[in-house]
Amino acid sequence: MPVAGGLSVSMTAAPAGEGAEPQRLAFEFRGHGSEFFRIWIVNISLTILTLGIYSAWARVRTKRYFYGNTYLGGHPFDYHASPLRILVGRIIAVLILLLYNLTAAINPGFAILWLLAFVLALPWLINSSLRFNARYTSYRNVRFNFHGTYGLAFLAHIGWPIIGGITLGTLIPLARRARDYYNINNHTYGGAPFHTEYKGWRIYIAYLIGVALVIALYVGVMMLVFGMYDATHPAPVPVADTGPNHLKLPDTTPPQLPWWYYAIGYLVLAGVTVIWLSIRHIVDTMVFNLGIGNATLDGKHNLQSKLFPPTVAWIKITNILLTLVTLGLFYPFARVRFARYEARRLGLAAASDLSEFTSETIGNTNAVGEEIGSVFDVDIGL
Amino acid sequence: MSMLRGNYFHPRASRFEAAEAHYDEGTRTLRVVRGDGTIIDQAPARAVRPSLRLGHLMRHLAFPGGARFDVAGNDDVDAFLRAARMRVRGAVIDRLERSWITVAVAIGLALIAGYLAFALGIPALAQSLAERTPPSVSEAIAGQSMVILDNMAFSPSQLPAADQAKAEALFARVAREGKLGAGAYRLVFRHGGSVGPNALALPDGTIIMTDEMWPYVKRDDEILGVFAHEIAHVDRRHTLQILYRAAMVPAIIAVISGDVSQVTSLSSALPALLLQAAYSRELEQQADDDAAVSLRKIGADPAAMGALIERIEAVLCGKDGCGPSWLGSHPEGHERAERLRHPRQ
């Protein structure tokens, strides 16, 4: 392969060619934990020094780092949002967060109003966020875009979950699929649509595996709890009748519990949390593989996703534990670690050399919706 | 550096070809040329925007027509840009990010600033907000809280009238020392149920004592201490302070970590919880200290309250106390008793 300017490209750089050979392109993440650590820590310090204003630039640098180090077929992605837009959105978002905390504490009635407002705003927040991120992302000089509408977003993110709830959970997998369909099928690259589709029974299998794991966890915990209770709770001891004020003291004293009872209690709680999170990651990964793995671009280029659920759970859990133990310093390494793994397991079976795309004309977009959405942890990541 | 090799992407297209970028000093233009010398694109150097340097990311030059020229090798690019008299923006920050010394300084700065913000900044801000909050807000919170407590935890008191009268008389002795005047506080009784022996203060001056507390009291000074402690909570507006602190913690975490979604993730929920517990212990200790001062003014012994606390904890949790202090909302029982026996001024 001819190498141009130190780049390694996996296809011949033929001028204006329509090379039509299908090929499998690999994703690759070329970032390093140590490199991102330095960027991340400088981000934090400058954010502190500027009392938060630099945070918008920090966010753009972080996204640029992750997108820019993600390569497909030897070319990187790019993120080019303007930090100023993000700053405006961010200020508004933090104000809303403060306002919500204060008014909800003063009067629970406000919390209900906020909830209502939030539910109505959610489709707009989601669309806004997906659109902002899509439009300022590009690959090989061509931009992505997002075309979701309020109505469709409402159906996918609110309507379907309600249906899932009404049917006592039996339709939740379909609700999840509807949401993923909405998120993926409204994205375009250079005007060409993404499309994903798969049979409903496949997502049911993912959820059934999750349910089975949860039941196993529940049974295990119950056995442990009852076992411990029996071991440490002898019958309580009756006590003298009256106390100093001539009133009856309680009939019995509670048993003296050994200190390690509490220690094991906390450990069990921690362990259950970890296992519960792992189960969630396992199910989420299977659903992710279904959504992305069955997606096509322009009807002819096929995305592939082969993340292995237990590995994802392992990486994510150990990341959390290491981050806690290092007081947060491991966080940048954690992110790079996962990005590396994820990229390795993604691929694209391209029907051409991908040189047939051109950007749509897109105006400027504001980041308010995205920032508000991320403040309330609107989870729209795919 | 007079020439860069890279990939030229046609305007707004994914189509590209290997090419070279040249800078023409005479006309101050940037020219993109193929290997055989044909010109693919050119533009005034002023109109071409180079991307910011970041780590070892591939760099690119954005041409005004929507074309893009991708180049690897940051140092070469910087040299070329300088020769072309184009501004190399973002160089300072990039150099900061590449120097490990800066990183060490940055870590230190972050830790210090974090400590200042959480240990000093938030409490100070919360306190000044609490002092400026109008009484109607406190009344609203207290009203709501009472309703919730009565619905979920408490039932009507079963304490005999004689005992209630005695408690109220003792309460009046302490209430006179309160900052807001005796009329601002009132004592109410409830059956605590699973809450057990306890006393709470609501921000409007209502102090609740559960029936279960009364049998544990051996001397008047002990319950005087409890009342003084609760009145201190009201005087210092601790309920409001805790609310404000709790509201600010997520906002500060969001701003500092630069990643707003981290606020609810597990690895910051735990520190936030520990922080809240620490704040709570700090305020409980303030209330203990204030109570000791008021008690001495009316001739009562602060150590008595310590004895009461230890007695209650011994019955409820055993002689080893109720659990490690770094997790609890109150300082550890024996610690409190010690501090009340030997109060600092």
Side-chain angles (χ1 to χ4, degrees):
Chain A
M1 295 281 111
V3 172
L7 298 168
S8 73
V9 296
S10 63
M11 51 199 119
T12 320
E18 288 287 330
E21 279 144 34
Q23 41 199 301
R24 194 191 169 270
L25 301 176
F27 282 85
E28 212 191 318
F29 185 75
R30 297 192 191 166
H32 304 299
S34 55
E35 187 182 54
F36 181 55
F37 176 80
R38 282 172 279 164
I39 294 173
W40 176 78
I41 196 72
V42 169
N43 278 348
I44 290 185
S45 315
L46 287 176
T47 301
I48 292 175
L49 283 174
T50 58
L51 299 180
I53 296 187
Y54 186 76
S55 66
W57 280 261
R59 176 142 158 86
V60 169
R61 283 181 94 70
T62 300
K63 285 204 114 150
R64 264 194 74 205
Y65 187 80
F66 278 88
Y67 286 46
N69 273 310
T70 305
Y71 285 72
L72 173 63
H75 295 277
F77 286 79
D78 190 24
Y79 183 75
H80 36 82
S82 141
L84 277 175
R85 286 177 200 286
I86 291 186
L87 181 63
V88 169
R90 192 155 274 222
I91 291 176
I92 297 178
V94 170
L95 284 176
I96 292 185
L97 178 66
L98 266 175
L99 206 59
Y100 164 77
N101 268 302
L102 289 175
T103 56
I106 288 174
N107 187 343
F110 278 127
I112 300 184
L113 281 177
W114 278 108
L115 185 64
L116 198 59
F118 184 70
V119 166
L120 288 177
L122 190 64
W124 172 76
L125 287 174
I126 291 174
N127 282 345
S128 209
S129 185
L130 289 172
R131 193 166 35 235
F132 184 81
N133 274 320
R135 289 183 177 184
Y136 290 109
T137 305
S138 55
Y139 170 69
R140 283 175 61 169
N141 199 32
V142 171
R143 292 165 107 173
F144 290 82
N145 200 352
F146 181 76
H147 297 277
T149 61
Y150 182 89
L152 287 177
F154 191 92
L155 189 60
H157 287 267
I158 297 180
W160 265 105
I162 292 181
I163 293 175
I166 289 180
T167 56
L168 299 177
T170 48
L171 291 186
I172 282 185
L174 289 183
R176 178 70 176 269
R177 188 180 68 159
R179 197 186 83 183
D180 285 352
Y181 275 7
Y182 174 77
N183 289 349
I184 296 176
N185 293 345
N186 285 298
H187 273 93
T188 58
Y189 171 68
F194 284 92
H195 182 79
T196 185
E197 197 175 333
Y198 54 88
K199 291 276 191 300
W201 61 262
R202 299 174 70 181
I203 195 171
Y204 270 95
I205 295 215
Y207 272 82
L208 283 173
I209 293 179
V211 167
L213 289 171
V214 167
I215 292 179
L217 173 69
Y218 184 75
V219 166
V221 168
M222 282 297 113
M223 284 169 45
L224 183 64
V225 165
F226 282 128
M228 277 186 58
Y229 191 86
D230 283 339
T232 59
H233 279 72
V237 174
V239 122
D241 246 5
T242 59
N245 282 293
H246 306 295
L247 278 175
K248 273 183 61 95
L249 280 173
D251 276 344
T252 59
T253 51
Q256 309 277 28
L257 293 170
W259 65 269
W260 52 259
Y261 185 81
Y262 295 98
I264 294 192
Y266 283 119
L267 274 175
V268 167
L269 197 62
V272 165
T273 311
V274 163
I275 296 180
W276 168 251
L277 276 178
S278 308
I279 296 178
R280 274 193 50 192
H281 282 307
I282 288 177
V283 174
D284 282 346
T285 305
M286 288 192 275
V287 173
F288 179 87
N289 281 340
L290 282 174
I292 300 287
N294 288 296
T296 62
L297 169 63
D298 210 14
K300 42 191 171 88
H301 313 286
N302 300 316
L303 280 167
Q304 296 158 344
S305 174
K306 295 206 174 67
L307 277 71
F308 188 52
T311 310
V312 171
W314 169 255
I315 294 180
K316 295 236 167 191
I317 299 293
T318 50
N319 275 348
I320 290 180
L321 293 174
L322 286 167
T323 304
L324 275 173
V325 157
T326 58
L327 299 181
L329 291 175
F330 185 72
Y331 174 73
F333 295 91
R335 279 192 67 172
V336 167
R337 183 178 174 221
F338 183 71
R340 278 241 181 101
Y341 175 74
E342 193 180 32
R344 253 205 319 273
R345 313 250 80 206
L346 290 173
L348 179 73
S352 72
D353 66 359
L354 299 180
S355 49
E356 71 264 27
F357 294 97
T358 55
S359 273
E360 303 171 89
T361 333
I362 299 173
N364 280 321
T365 333
N366 71 58
V368 178
E370 193 209 11
E371 289 301 316
I372 295 180
S374 55
V375 156
F376 288 93
D377 202 25
V378 175
D379 185 10
I380 41 196
L382 294 172
Chain B
M1 185 89 209
S2 59
M3 183 261 289
L4 286 176
R5 282 212 188 83
N7 282 333
Y8 173 81
F9 285 87
H10 287 259
R12 292 173 42 233
S14 58
R15 214 164 43 111
F16 72 99
E17 48 185 311
E20 293 171 359
H22 295 259
Y23 174 65
D24 182 350
E25 175 70 47
T27 53
R28 302 264 187 99
T29 54
L30 228 56
R31 211 168 277 142
V32 180
V33 221
R34 282 195 193 98
D36 60 7
T38 52
I39 299 177
I40 316 177
D41 198 349
Q42 63 182 346
R46 285 180 290 108
V48 176
R49 261 188 7 203
S51 66
L52 293 174
R53 188 167 176 163
L54 180 62
H56 67 278
L57 284 192
M58 201 176 287
R59 208 82 165 268
H60 65 255
L61 304 171
F63 278 76
R68 202 178 82 185
F69 189 73
D70 278 10
V71 197
N74 270 303
D75 288 326
D76 290 344
V77 173
D78 281 345
F80 176 88
L81 292 175
R82 268 192 290 272
R85 245 109 42 91
M86 293 164 72
R87 278 182 44 224
V88 179
R89 284 154 57 239
V92 174
I93 294 187
D94 172 71
R95 223 173 300 133
L96 284 180
E97 288 164 354
R98 285 187 290 144
S99 146
W100 279 105
I101 298 179
T102 320
V103 166
V105 169
I107 295 180
L109 180 67
L111 288 174
I112 293 176
Y115 174 78
L116 287 177
F118 290 112
L120 300 177
I122 289 189
L125 193 56
Q127 185 170 340
S128 86
L129 279 175
E131 280 161 12
R132 279 165 188 68
T133 306
S136 53
V137 173
S138 305
E139 279 154 31
I141 296 179
Q144 290 291 334
S145 307
M146 197 74 239
V147 168
I148 293 176
L149 287 168
D150 278 336
N151 277 336
M152 297 196 44
F154 293 154
S155 39
S157 171
Q158 294 157 11
L159 205 57
D163 290 309
Q164 286 196 14
K166 181 157 186 226
E168 275 164 1
L170 290 168
F171 182 80
R173 267 178 71 188
V174 192
R176 271 197 295 271
E177 302 300 319
K179 254 186 10 203
L180 308 172
Y185 317 98
R186 64 187 182 114
L187 179 64
V188 303
F189 305 93
R190 289 288 186 278
H191 182 71
S194 52
V195 171
N198 218 328
L200 346 158
L202 297 178
D204 67 348
T206 305
I207 298 189
I208 308 170
M209 188 190 84
T210 63
D211 300 344
E212 290 82 341
M213 165 84 76
W214 196 246
Y216 284 91
V217 180
K218 282 201 175 126
R219 295 164 50 195
D220 289 352
D221 283 3
E222 292 172 1
I223 196 69
L224 283 176
V226 171
F227 292 150
H229 172 106
E230 297 305 326
I231 287 176
H233 278 320
V234 177
D235 285 347
R236 289 212 186 233
R237 305 183 149 220
H238 280 168
T239 311
L240 286 174
Q241 284 203 40
I242 280 272
L243 282 174
Y244 288 133
R245 292 191 194 188
M248 283 188 260
V249 166
I252 302 246
I253 292 182
V255 165
I256 287 186
S257 70
D259 183 354
V260 191
S261 67
Q262 282 307 107
V263 166
T264 50
S265 94
L266 189 62
S267 33
S268 49
L270 185 58
L273 244 127
L274 291 176
L275 199 59
Q276 272 306 100
Y279 282 153
S280 175
R281 286 195 300 279
E282 181 196 333
L283 298 183
E284 289 298 328
Q285 194 154 83
Q286 267 186 17
D288 275 351
D289 292 345
D290 281 1
V293 169
S294 317
L295 287 171
R296 258 174 269 125
K297 272 205 208 135
I298 59 173
D301 176 19
M305 177 163 71
L308 177 64
I309 293 169
E310 284 177 321
R311 193 179 311 131
I312 294 179
E313 283 200 359
V315 172
L316 289 184
C317 304
K319 61 173 169 48
D320 288 330
C322 285
S325 71
W326 50 269
L327 281 174
S329 61
H330 287 65
E332 204 263 328
H334 296 302
E335 271 177 51
R336 294 175 75 188
E338 262 310 301
R339 200 180 162 98
L340 286 165
R341 277 191 279 271
H342 309 283
R344 293 145 224 216
Q345 296 312 324

